[in-house]
Amino acid sequence: MESVYLLIPVSVILVFGIAVAFWWSVRSGQFDDLEGPGFRVLMDDDMPKQQTEVEETAESDKLDKV
């Protein structure tokens, strides 16, 4: 029975700490864009386009020299 006097304040402090951490994460924007980072990993199309553009410019430079 004596442990209840210790566990109740500890649980109240723990719940308060979790609530503060959740409030901080919401205020700092942790939950603003949940799908964007996942799609950015899958949509990695920017690098090949840049490589093809570089190749096209290199080919056009070769054609200009001829």
Side-chain angles (χ1 to χ4, degrees), residues 7-25:
L7 291 176
I8 289 175
V10 168
S11 65
V12 169
I13 290 170
L14 184 64
V15 167
F16 181 73
I18 290 171
V20 168
F22 180 73
W23 177 79
W24 174 80
S25 65

Side-chain angles (χ1 to χ4, degrees), residues 2-58:
E2 294 171 355
S3 64
V4 172
Y5 296 121
L6 176 68
L7 291 176
I8 289 175
V10 168
S11 65
V12 169
I13 290 170
L14 184 64
V15 167
F16 181 73
I18 290 171
V20 168
F22 180 73
W23 177 79
W24 174 80
S25 65
V26 169
R27 296 276 296 173
S28 66
Q30 295 290 320
F31 300 108
D32 286 348
D33 187 14
L34 296 177
E35 296 176 356
F39 285 122
R40 268 186 248 132
V41 170
L42 296 174
M43 304 293 180
D44 194 25
D45 294 334
D46 293 336
M47 292 299 288
K49 288 181 181 177
Q50 292 175 351
Q51 290 176 351
T52 57
E53 291 175 0
V54 170
E55 291 174 358
E56 289 176 358
T57 56

